[in-house]
PDB file of all heavy atoms in Angstrom:
ATOM      1  N   LEU A   1     -17.170 -36.610 -63.043  1.00  0.00           N
ATOM      2  CA  LEU A   1     -17.529 -37.355 -64.143  1.00  0.00           C
ATOM      3  C   LEU A   1     -17.457 -38.877 -63.794  1.00  0.00           C
ATOM      4  O   LEU A   1     -18.369 -39.718 -64.080  1.00  0.00           O
ATOM      5  CB  LEU A   1     -16.703 -37.152 -65.338  1.00  0.00           C
ATOM      6  CG  LEU A   1     -16.947 -35.715 -65.989  1.00  0.00           C
ATOM      7  CD1 LEU A   1     -15.897 -35.537 -67.091  1.00  0.00           C
ATOM      8  CD2 LEU A   1     -18.313 -35.534 -66.474  1.00  0.00           C
ATOM      9  N   GLU A   2     -16.439 -39.250 -63.005  1.00  0.00           N
ATOM     10  CA  GLU A   2     -16.372 -40.737 -62.581  1.00  0.00           C
ATOM     11  C   GLU A   2     -17.404 -41.001 -61.665  1.00  0.00           C
ATOM     12  O   GLU A   2     -17.931 -42.176 -61.644  1.00  0.00           O
ATOM     13  CB  GLU A   2     -14.969 -40.917 -61.887  1.00  0.00           C
ATOM     14  CG  GLU A   2     -13.857 -40.923 -62.887  1.00  0.00           C
ATOM     15  CD  GLU A   2     -13.964 -42.107 -63.927  1.00  0.00           C
ATOM     16  OE1 GLU A   2     -14.238 -43.224 -63.512  1.00  0.00           O
ATOM     17  OE2 GLU A   2     -13.743 -41.837 -65.224  1.00  0.00           O
ATOM     18  N   LEU A   3     -17.852 -40.136 -60.770  1.00  0.00           N
ATOM     19  CA  LEU A   3     -18.957 -40.403 -59.918  1.00  0.00           C
ATOM     20  C   LEU A   3     -20.284 -40.569 -60.686  1.00  0.00           C
ATOM     21  O   LEU A   3     -21.107 -41.406 -60.301  1.00  0.00           O
ATOM     22  CB  LEU A   3     -19.161 -39.266 -58.839  1.00  0.00           C
ATOM     23  CG  LEU A   3     -18.170 -39.263 -57.691  1.00  0.00           C
ATOM     24  CD1 LEU A   3     -18.371 -38.117 -56.814  1.00  0.00           C
ATOM     25  CD2 LEU A   3     -18.408 -40.543 -56.807  1.00  0.00           C
ATOM     26  N   MET A   4     -20.434 -39.721 -61.654  1.00  0.00           N
ATOM     27  CA  MET A   4     -21.598 -39.860 -62.501  1.00  0.00           C
ATOM     28  C   MET A   4     -21.642 -41.245 -63.187  1.00  0.00           C
ATOM     29  O   MET A   4     -22.690 -41.900 -63.197  1.00  0.00           O
ATOM     30  CB  MET A   4     -21.685 -38.700 -63.499  1.00  0.00           C
ATOM     31  CG  MET A   4     -22.010 -37.386 -62.864  1.00  0.00           C
ATOM     32  SD  MET A   4     -21.771 -35.980 -64.038  1.00  0.00           S
ATOM     33  CE  MET A   4     -22.885 -36.457 -65.286  1.00  0.00           C
ATOM     34  N   LEU A   5     -20.497 -41.555 -63.696  1.00  0.00           N
ATOM     35  CA  LEU A   5     -20.451 -42.940 -64.279  1.00  0.00           C
ATOM     36  C   LEU A   5     -20.691 -44.099 -63.364  1.00  0.00           C
ATOM     37  O   LEU A   5     -21.314 -45.023 -63.726  1.00  0.00           O
ATOM     38  CB  LEU A   5     -19.155 -43.108 -65.085  1.00  0.00           C
ATOM     39  CG  LEU A   5     -19.015 -42.357 -66.394  1.00  0.00           C
ATOM     40  CD1 LEU A   5     -17.485 -42.515 -66.751  1.00  0.00           C
ATOM     41  CD2 LEU A   5     -19.918 -42.841 -67.364  1.00  0.00           C
ATOM     42  N   GLY A   6     -20.236 -43.946 -62.145  1.00  0.00           N
ATOM     43  CA  GLY A   6     -20.384 -44.935 -61.184  1.00  0.00           C
ATOM     44  C   GLY A   6     -21.899 -45.049 -60.773  1.00  0.00           C
ATOM     45  O   GLY A   6     -22.370 -46.256 -60.660  1.00  0.00           O
ATOM     46  N   GLY A   7     -22.546 -43.971 -60.724  1.00  0.00           N
ATOM     47  CA  GLY A   7     -23.995 -44.020 -60.436  1.00  0.00           C
ATOM     48  C   GLY A   7     -24.807 -44.659 -61.557  1.00  0.00           C
ATOM     49  O   GLY A   7     -25.754 -45.495 -61.324  1.00  0.00           O
ATOM     50  N   VAL A   8     -24.394 -44.397 -62.802  1.00  0.00           N
ATOM     51  CA  VAL A   8     -25.083 -45.082 -63.951  1.00  0.00           C
ATOM     52  C   VAL A   8     -24.801 -46.555 -63.995  1.00  0.00           C
ATOM     53  O   VAL A   8     -25.720 -47.335 -64.234  1.00  0.00           O
ATOM     54  CB  VAL A   8     -24.529 -44.393 -65.261  1.00  0.00           C
ATOM     55  CG1 VAL A   8     -25.075 -45.194 -66.490  1.00  0.00           C
ATOM     56  CG2 VAL A   8     -25.129 -42.933 -65.345  1.00  0.00           C
ATOM     57  N   ILE A   9     -23.566 -47.005 -63.724  1.00  0.00           N
ATOM     58  CA  ILE A   9     -23.237 -48.388 -63.629  1.00  0.00           C
ATOM     59  C   ILE A   9     -23.929 -49.083 -62.469  1.00  0.00           C
ATOM     60  O   ILE A   9     -24.469 -50.215 -62.668  1.00  0.00           O
ATOM     61  CB  ILE A   9     -21.715 -48.535 -63.626  1.00  0.00           C
ATOM     62  CG1 ILE A   9     -21.095 -48.188 -64.863  1.00  0.00           C
ATOM     63  CG2 ILE A   9     -21.349 -50.019 -63.268  1.00  0.00           C
ATOM     64  CD1 ILE A   9     -19.607 -48.053 -64.864  1.00  0.00           C
ATOM     65  N   LEU A  10     -24.053 -48.480 -61.335  1.00  0.00           N
ATOM     66  CA  LEU A  10     -24.789 -49.073 -60.190  1.00  0.00           C
ATOM     67  C   LEU A  10     -26.302 -49.241 -60.560  1.00  0.00           C
ATOM     68  O   LEU A  10     -26.847 -50.254 -60.307  1.00  0.00           O
ATOM     69  CB  LEU A  10     -24.597 -48.210 -59.050  1.00  0.00           C
ATOM     70  CG  LEU A  10     -25.335 -48.706 -57.784  1.00  0.00           C
ATOM     71  CD1 LEU A  10     -24.850 -49.983 -57.272  1.00  0.00           C
ATOM     72  CD2 LEU A  10     -25.233 -47.606 -56.671  1.00  0.00           C
ATOM     73  N   ALA A  11     -26.834 -48.276 -61.267  1.00  0.00           N
ATOM     74  CA  ALA A  11     -28.269 -48.321 -61.585  1.00  0.00           C
ATOM     75  C   ALA A  11     -28.449 -49.470 -62.627  1.00  0.00           C
ATOM     76  O   ALA A  11     -29.402 -50.244 -62.559  1.00  0.00           O
ATOM     77  CB  ALA A  11     -28.796 -47.032 -62.096  1.00  0.00           C
ATOM     78  N   ALA A  12     -27.527 -49.564 -63.648  1.00  0.00           N
ATOM     79  CA  ALA A  12     -27.666 -50.566 -64.612  1.00  0.00           C
ATOM     80  C   ALA A  12     -27.501 -51.945 -64.116  1.00  0.00           C
ATOM     81  O   ALA A  12     -28.185 -52.918 -64.391  1.00  0.00           O
ATOM     82  CB  ALA A  12     -26.639 -50.295 -65.766  1.00  0.00           C
ATOM     83  N   ALA A  13     -26.602 -52.126 -63.131  1.00  0.00           N
ATOM     84  CA  ALA A  13     -26.301 -53.441 -62.495  1.00  0.00           C
ATOM     85  C   ALA A  13     -27.457 -53.859 -61.665  1.00  0.00           C
ATOM     86  O   ALA A  13     -27.887 -55.078 -61.625  1.00  0.00           O
ATOM     87  CB  ALA A  13     -24.994 -53.385 -61.626  1.00  0.00           C
ATOM     88  N   ALA A  14     -27.997 -52.803 -60.923  1.00  0.00           N
ATOM     89  CA  ALA A  14     -29.194 -53.145 -60.032  1.00  0.00           C
ATOM     90  C   ALA A  14     -30.372 -53.651 -60.925  1.00  0.00           C
ATOM     91  O   ALA A  14     -31.143 -54.561 -60.548  1.00  0.00           O
ATOM     92  CB  ALA A  14     -29.548 -51.957 -59.149  1.00  0.00           C
ATOM     93  N   VAL A  15     -30.691 -52.891 -62.030  1.00  0.00           N
ATOM     94  CA  VAL A  15     -31.818 -53.245 -62.786  1.00  0.00           C
ATOM     95  C   VAL A  15     -31.559 -54.630 -63.458  1.00  0.00           C
ATOM     96  O   VAL A  15     -32.474 -55.447 -63.453  1.00  0.00           O
ATOM     97  CB  VAL A  15     -32.025 -52.108 -63.924  1.00  0.00           C
ATOM     98  CG1 VAL A  15     -32.995 -52.621 -64.887  1.00  0.00           C
ATOM     99  CG2 VAL A  15     -32.622 -50.895 -63.280  1.00  0.00           C
ATOM    100  N   TRP A  16     -30.308 -54.878 -63.932  1.00  0.00           N
ATOM    101  CA  TRP A  16     -30.098 -56.186 -64.611  1.00  0.00           C
ATOM    102  C   TRP A  16     -30.160 -57.277 -63.565  1.00  0.00           C
ATOM    103  O   TRP A  16     -30.795 -58.358 -63.890  1.00  0.00           O
ATOM    104  CB  TRP A  16     -28.667 -56.078 -65.119  1.00  0.00           C
ATOM    105  CG  TRP A  16     -28.419 -57.193 -66.158  1.00  0.00           C
ATOM    106  CD1 TRP A  16     -28.477 -58.568 -66.019  1.00  0.00           C
ATOM    107  CD2 TRP A  16     -28.164 -56.952 -67.546  1.00  0.00           C
ATOM    108  NE1 TRP A  16     -28.202 -59.148 -67.127  1.00  0.00           N
ATOM    109  CE2 TRP A  16     -28.028 -58.225 -68.104  1.00  0.00           C
ATOM    110  CE3 TRP A  16     -28.115 -55.828 -68.360  1.00  0.00           C
ATOM    111  CZ2 TRP A  16     -27.783 -58.346 -69.442  1.00  0.00           C
ATOM    112  CZ3 TRP A  16     -27.869 -56.028 -69.646  1.00  0.00           C
ATOM    113  CH2 TRP A  16     -27.677 -57.258 -70.251  1.00  0.00           C
ATOM    114  N   HIS A  17     -29.786 -57.042 -62.349  1.00  0.00           N
ATOM    115  CA  HIS A  17     -30.015 -58.101 -61.267  1.00  0.00           C
ATOM    116  C   HIS A  17     -31.386 -58.325 -61.002  1.00  0.00           C
ATOM    117  O   HIS A  17     -31.797 -59.498 -60.701  1.00  0.00           O
ATOM    118  CB  HIS A  17     -29.162 -57.578 -59.988  1.00  0.00           C
ATOM    119  CG  HIS A  17     -29.352 -58.577 -58.812  1.00  0.00           C
ATOM    120  ND1 HIS A  17     -28.844 -59.867 -58.845  1.00  0.00           N
ATOM    121  CD2 HIS A  17     -30.187 -58.452 -57.711  1.00  0.00           C
ATOM    122  CE1 HIS A  17     -29.217 -60.418 -57.749  1.00  0.00           C
ATOM    123  NE2 HIS A  17     -30.007 -59.618 -57.025  1.00  0.00           N
ATOM    124  N   PHE A  18     -32.193 -57.320 -60.911  1.00  0.00           N
ATOM    125  CA  PHE A  18     -33.607 -57.541 -60.524  1.00  0.00           C
ATOM    126  C   PHE A  18     -34.459 -58.075 -61.777  1.00  0.00           C
ATOM    127  O   PHE A  18     -35.562 -58.684 -61.598  1.00  0.00           O
ATOM    128  CB  PHE A  18     -34.276 -56.265 -60.043  1.00  0.00           C
ATOM    129  CG  PHE A  18     -33.853 -56.115 -58.563  1.00  0.00           C
ATOM    130  CD1 PHE A  18     -32.828 -55.154 -58.210  1.00  0.00           C
ATOM    131  CD2 PHE A  18     -34.512 -56.782 -57.525  1.00  0.00           C
ATOM    132  CE1 PHE A  18     -32.461 -54.927 -56.921  1.00  0.00           C
ATOM    133  CE2 PHE A  18     -34.165 -56.555 -56.254  1.00  0.00           C
ATOM    134  CZ  PHE A  18     -33.139 -55.649 -55.879  1.00  0.00           C
ATOM    135  N   VAL A  19     -33.987 -57.787 -62.912  1.00  0.00           N
ATOM    136  CA  VAL A  19     -34.764 -58.255 -64.090  1.00  0.00           C
ATOM    137  C   VAL A  19     -34.356 -59.753 -64.397  1.00  0.00           C
ATOM    138  O   VAL A  19     -35.235 -60.555 -64.689  1.00  0.00           O
ATOM    139  CB  VAL A  19     -34.424 -57.387 -65.407  1.00  0.00           C
ATOM    140  CG1 VAL A  19     -34.947 -58.047 -66.597  1.00  0.00           C
ATOM    141  CG2 VAL A  19     -35.031 -56.076 -65.179  1.00  0.00           C
ATOM    142  N   ALA A  20     -33.005 -60.074 -64.442  1.00  0.00           N
ATOM    143  CA  ALA A  20     -32.618 -61.440 -64.757  1.00  0.00           C
ATOM    144  C   ALA A  20     -31.538 -61.794 -63.705  1.00  0.00           C
ATOM    145  O   ALA A  20     -30.368 -61.685 -64.040  1.00  0.00           O
ATOM    146  CB  ALA A  20     -32.041 -61.438 -66.119  1.00  0.00           C
ATOM    147  N   PRO A  21     -31.922 -62.272 -62.516  1.00  0.00           N
ATOM    148  CA  PRO A  21     -30.980 -62.543 -61.496  1.00  0.00           C
ATOM    149  C   PRO A  21     -29.989 -63.728 -61.847  1.00  0.00           C
ATOM    150  O   PRO A  21     -28.929 -63.822 -61.341  1.00  0.00           O
ATOM    151  CB  PRO A  21     -31.684 -62.835 -60.212  1.00  0.00           C
ATOM    152  CG  PRO A  21     -33.113 -63.149 -60.607  1.00  0.00           C
ATOM    153  CD  PRO A  21     -33.213 -62.472 -61.945  1.00  0.00           C
ATOM    154  N   ALA A  22     -30.458 -64.710 -62.614  1.00  0.00           N
ATOM    155  CA  ALA A  22     -29.699 -65.930 -62.885  1.00  0.00           C
ATOM    156  C   ALA A  22     -28.605 -65.608 -64.003  1.00  0.00           C
ATOM    157  O   ALA A  22     -27.707 -66.361 -64.199  1.00  0.00           O
ATOM    158  CB  ALA A  22     -30.610 -66.975 -63.283  1.00  0.00           C
ATOM    159  N   ALA A  23     -28.864 -64.598 -64.842  1.00  0.00           N
ATOM    160  CA  ALA A  23     -28.050 -64.292 -66.078  1.00  0.00           C
ATOM    161  C   ALA A  23     -26.732 -63.596 -65.516  1.00  0.00           C
ATOM    162  O   ALA A  23     -26.753 -62.754 -64.675  1.00  0.00           O
ATOM    163  CB  ALA A  23     -28.720 -63.480 -67.014  1.00  0.00           C
ATOM    164  N   THR A  24     -25.627 -64.047 -66.164  1.00  0.00           N
ATOM    165  CA  THR A  24     -24.273 -63.515 -65.829  1.00  0.00           C
ATOM    166  C   THR A  24     -24.010 -62.282 -66.776  1.00  0.00           C
ATOM    167  O   THR A  24     -22.824 -61.725 -66.652  1.00  0.00           O
ATOM    168  CB  THR A  24     -23.234 -64.560 -65.835  1.00  0.00           C
ATOM    169  OG1 THR A  24     -23.238 -65.227 -67.151  1.00  0.00           O
ATOM    170  CG2 THR A  24     -23.483 -65.616 -64.842  1.00  0.00           C
ATOM    171  N   ASP A  25     -24.869 -62.111 -67.743  1.00  0.00           N
ATOM    172  CA  ASP A  25     -24.474 -61.061 -68.696  1.00  0.00           C
ATOM    173  C   ASP A  25     -24.318 -59.669 -68.010  1.00  0.00           C
ATOM    174  O   ASP A  25     -23.469 -58.898 -68.345  1.00  0.00           O
ATOM    175  CB  ASP A  25     -25.654 -60.909 -69.807  1.00  0.00           C
ATOM    176  CG  ASP A  25     -25.799 -62.112 -70.524  1.00  0.00           C
ATOM    177  OD1 ASP A  25     -24.840 -63.002 -70.539  1.00  0.00           O
ATOM    178  OD2 ASP A  25     -26.783 -62.343 -71.134  1.00  0.00           O
ATOM    179  N   GLY A  26     -25.169 -59.422 -67.020  1.00  0.00           N
ATOM    180  CA  GLY A  26     -25.002 -58.080 -66.301  1.00  0.00           C
ATOM    181  C   GLY A  26     -23.658 -57.980 -65.549  1.00  0.00           C
ATOM    182  O   GLY A  26     -23.155 -56.933 -65.541  1.00  0.00           O
ATOM    183  N   GLN A  27     -23.242 -59.020 -64.933  1.00  0.00           N
ATOM    184  CA  GLN A  27     -21.985 -58.998 -64.205  1.00  0.00           C
ATOM    185  C   GLN A  27     -20.865 -58.697 -65.207  1.00  0.00           C
ATOM    186  O   GLN A  27     -19.934 -58.003 -64.824  1.00  0.00           O
ATOM    187  CB  GLN A  27     -21.740 -60.286 -63.516  1.00  0.00           C
ATOM    188  CG  GLN A  27     -22.767 -60.592 -62.352  1.00  0.00           C
ATOM    189  CD  GLN A  27     -22.677 -61.955 -61.808  1.00  0.00           C
ATOM    190  OE1 GLN A  27     -21.776 -62.732 -62.098  1.00  0.00           O
ATOM    191  NE2 GLN A  27     -23.533 -62.235 -60.812  1.00  0.00           N
ATOM    192  N   VAL A  28     -20.841 -59.387 -66.264  1.00  0.00           N
ATOM    193  CA  VAL A  28     -19.790 -59.116 -67.269  1.00  0.00           C
ATOM    194  C   VAL A  28     -19.836 -57.664 -67.844  1.00  0.00           C
ATOM    195  O   VAL A  28     -18.816 -56.996 -67.959  1.00  0.00           O
ATOM    196  CB  VAL A  28     -19.918 -60.090 -68.514  1.00  0.00           C
ATOM    197  CG1 VAL A  28     -18.952 -59.760 -69.597  1.00  0.00           C
ATOM    198  CG2 VAL A  28     -19.723 -61.540 -67.995  1.00  0.00           C
ATOM    199  N   LEU A  29     -21.048 -57.138 -68.078  1.00  0.00           N
ATOM    200  CA  LEU A  29     -21.149 -55.814 -68.394  1.00  0.00           C
ATOM    201  C   LEU A  29     -20.613 -54.809 -67.427  1.00  0.00           C
ATOM    202  O   LEU A  29     -20.021 -53.845 -67.758  1.00  0.00           O
ATOM    203  CB  LEU A  29     -22.679 -55.501 -68.692  1.00  0.00           C
ATOM    204  CG  LEU A  29     -22.927 -54.075 -69.243  1.00  0.00           C
ATOM    205  CD1 LEU A  29     -22.428 -53.833 -70.668  1.00  0.00           C
ATOM    206  CD2 LEU A  29     -24.443 -53.816 -69.344  1.00  0.00           C
ATOM    207  N   VAL A  30     -20.931 -55.016 -66.114  1.00  0.00           N
ATOM    208  CA  VAL A  30     -20.385 -54.138 -65.012  1.00  0.00           C
ATOM    209  C   VAL A  30     -19.002 -54.212 -64.989  1.00  0.00           C
ATOM    210  O   VAL A  30     -18.261 -53.193 -64.793  1.00  0.00           O
ATOM    211  CB  VAL A  30     -21.087 -54.571 -63.694  1.00  0.00           C
ATOM    212  CG1 VAL A  30     -20.442 -53.852 -62.607  1.00  0.00           C
ATOM    213  CG2 VAL A  30     -22.585 -54.229 -63.803  1.00  0.00           C
ATOM    214  N   VAL A  31     -18.358 -55.344 -65.044  1.00  0.00           N
ATOM    215  CA  VAL A  31     -16.922 -55.515 -64.962  1.00  0.00           C
ATOM    216  C   VAL A  31     -16.267 -54.859 -66.189  1.00  0.00           C
ATOM    217  O   VAL A  31     -15.227 -54.151 -65.986  1.00  0.00           O
ATOM    218  CB  VAL A  31     -16.480 -56.954 -64.932  1.00  0.00           C
ATOM    219  CG1 VAL A  31     -15.044 -57.166 -65.141  1.00  0.00           C
ATOM    220  CG2 VAL A  31     -16.871 -57.628 -63.658  1.00  0.00           C
ATOM    221  N   LEU A  32     -16.842 -54.955 -67.346  1.00  0.00           N
ATOM    222  CA  LEU A  32     -16.331 -54.317 -68.448  1.00  0.00           C
ATOM    223  C   LEU A  32     -16.427 -52.814 -68.360  1.00  0.00           C
ATOM    224  O   LEU A  32     -15.488 -52.021 -68.727  1.00  0.00           O
ATOM    225  CB  LEU A  32     -17.116 -54.725 -69.799  1.00  0.00           C
ATOM    226  CG  LEU A  32     -16.671 -54.127 -71.094  1.00  0.00           C
ATOM    227  CD1 LEU A  32     -15.281 -54.651 -71.426  1.00  0.00           C
ATOM    228  CD2 LEU A  32     -17.664 -54.504 -72.216  1.00  0.00           C
ATOM    229  N   ALA A  33     -17.599 -52.363 -67.864  1.00  0.00           N
ATOM    230  CA  ALA A  33     -17.738 -50.827 -67.645  1.00  0.00           C
ATOM    231  C   ALA A  33     -16.779 -50.204 -66.585  1.00  0.00           C
ATOM    232  O   ALA A  33     -16.252 -49.154 -66.854  1.00  0.00           O
ATOM    233  CB  ALA A  33     -19.206 -50.510 -67.273  1.00  0.00           C
ATOM    234  N   VAL A  34     -16.579 -50.950 -65.603  1.00  0.00           N
ATOM    235  CA  VAL A  34     -15.645 -50.532 -64.536  1.00  0.00           C
ATOM    236  C   VAL A  34     -14.178 -50.526 -65.146  1.00  0.00           C
ATOM    237  O   VAL A  34     -13.396 -49.564 -64.861  1.00  0.00           O
ATOM    238  CB  VAL A  34     -15.736 -51.333 -63.318  1.00  0.00           C
ATOM    239  CG1 VAL A  34     -14.579 -51.133 -62.331  1.00  0.00           C
ATOM    240  CG2 VAL A  34     -17.039 -51.146 -62.645  1.00  0.00           C
ATOM    241  N   THR A  35     -13.870 -51.453 -65.987  1.00  0.00           N
ATOM    242  CA  THR A  35     -12.486 -51.428 -66.695  1.00  0.00           C
ATOM    243  C   THR A  35     -12.369 -50.279 -67.565  1.00  0.00           C
ATOM    244  O   THR A  35     -11.354 -49.700 -67.602  1.00  0.00           O
ATOM    245  CB  THR A  35     -12.341 -52.744 -67.414  1.00  0.00           C
ATOM    246  OG1 THR A  35     -12.566 -53.906 -66.490  1.00  0.00           O
ATOM    247  CG2 THR A  35     -10.907 -52.927 -67.988  1.00  0.00           C
ATOM    248  N   VAL A  36     -13.442 -50.082 -68.364  1.00  0.00           N
ATOM    249  CA  VAL A  36     -13.408 -48.866 -69.218  1.00  0.00           C
ATOM    250  C   VAL A  36     -13.281 -47.613 -68.476  1.00  0.00           C
ATOM    251  O   VAL A  36     -12.503 -46.686 -68.824  1.00  0.00           O
ATOM    252  CB  VAL A  36     -14.721 -48.801 -70.093  1.00  0.00           C
ATOM    253  CG1 VAL A  36     -14.714 -47.579 -70.986  1.00  0.00           C
ATOM    254  CG2 VAL A  36     -14.557 -49.975 -71.081  1.00  0.00           C
ATOM    255  N   MET A  37     -13.953 -47.492 -67.331  1.00  0.00           N
ATOM    256  CA  MET A  37     -13.770 -46.284 -66.424  1.00  0.00           C
ATOM    257  C   MET A  37     -12.385 -46.155 -65.945  1.00  0.00           C
ATOM    258  O   MET A  37     -11.878 -44.950 -65.933  1.00  0.00           O
ATOM    259  CB  MET A  37     -14.719 -46.411 -65.231  1.00  0.00           C
ATOM    260  CG  MET A  37     -16.158 -46.053 -65.466  1.00  0.00           C
ATOM    261  SD  MET A  37     -17.270 -46.236 -64.061  1.00  0.00           S
ATOM    262  CE  MET A  37     -16.256 -45.353 -62.723  1.00  0.00           C
ATOM    263  N   ALA A  38     -11.760 -47.185 -65.590  1.00  0.00           N
ATOM    264  CA  ALA A  38     -10.359 -47.109 -65.084  1.00  0.00           C
ATOM    265  C   ALA A  38      -9.371 -46.642 -66.103  1.00  0.00           C
ATOM    266  O   ALA A  38      -8.439 -45.762 -65.898  1.00  0.00           O
ATOM    267  CB  ALA A  38      -9.922 -48.416 -64.480  1.00  0.00           C
ATOM    268  N   VAL A  39      -9.600 -47.245 -67.383  1.00  0.00           N
ATOM    269  CA  VAL A  39      -8.789 -46.857 -68.435  1.00  0.00           C
ATOM    270  C   VAL A  39      -8.983 -45.378 -68.876  1.00  0.00           C
ATOM    271  O   VAL A  39      -8.031 -44.583 -69.075  1.00  0.00           O
ATOM    272  CB  VAL A  39      -8.909 -47.822 -69.653  1.00  0.00           C
ATOM    273  CG1 VAL A  39      -8.263 -47.296 -70.941  1.00  0.00           C
ATOM    274  CG2 VAL A  39      -8.491 -49.201 -69.432  1.00  0.00           C
ATOM    275  N   GLU A  40     -10.164 -44.984 -68.902  1.00  0.00           N
ATOM    276  CA  GLU A  40     -10.556 -43.598 -69.223  1.00  0.00           C
ATOM    277  C   GLU A  40      -9.989 -42.680 -68.222  1.00  0.00           C
ATOM    278  O   GLU A  40      -9.482 -41.624 -68.517  1.00  0.00           O
ATOM    279  CB  GLU A  40     -12.090 -43.458 -69.229  1.00  0.00           C
ATOM    280  CG  GLU A  40     -12.503 -42.029 -69.448  1.00  0.00           C
ATOM    281  CD  GLU A  40     -13.038 -41.386 -68.289  1.00  0.00           C
ATOM    282  OE1 GLU A  40     -13.511 -42.029 -67.335  1.00  0.00           O
ATOM    283  OE2 GLU A  40     -12.999 -40.070 -68.232  1.00  0.00           O
TER     284      GLU A  40
END
């Protein structure tokens, strides 16, 4: 399940980076998602 979540987060971060590379919202979302994964 953690590998599956990691794949989803990687895809979301990649799409966010290619859609809006200057925005930091995607980076914050990825850090938040990884933190939630660790707590879970």
Side-chain angles (χ1 to χ4, degrees):
L1 292 174
E2 288 296 316
L3 281 174
M4 290 170 59
L5 285 172
V8 169
I9 289 173
L10 178 63
V15 168
W16 200 293
H17 173 72
F18 282 98
V19 169
T24 59
D25 299 341
Q27 295 173 0
V28 172
L29 181 66
V30 167
V31 169
L32 181 67
V34 169
T35 305
V36 168
M37 277 178 51
V39 169
E40 176 256 334

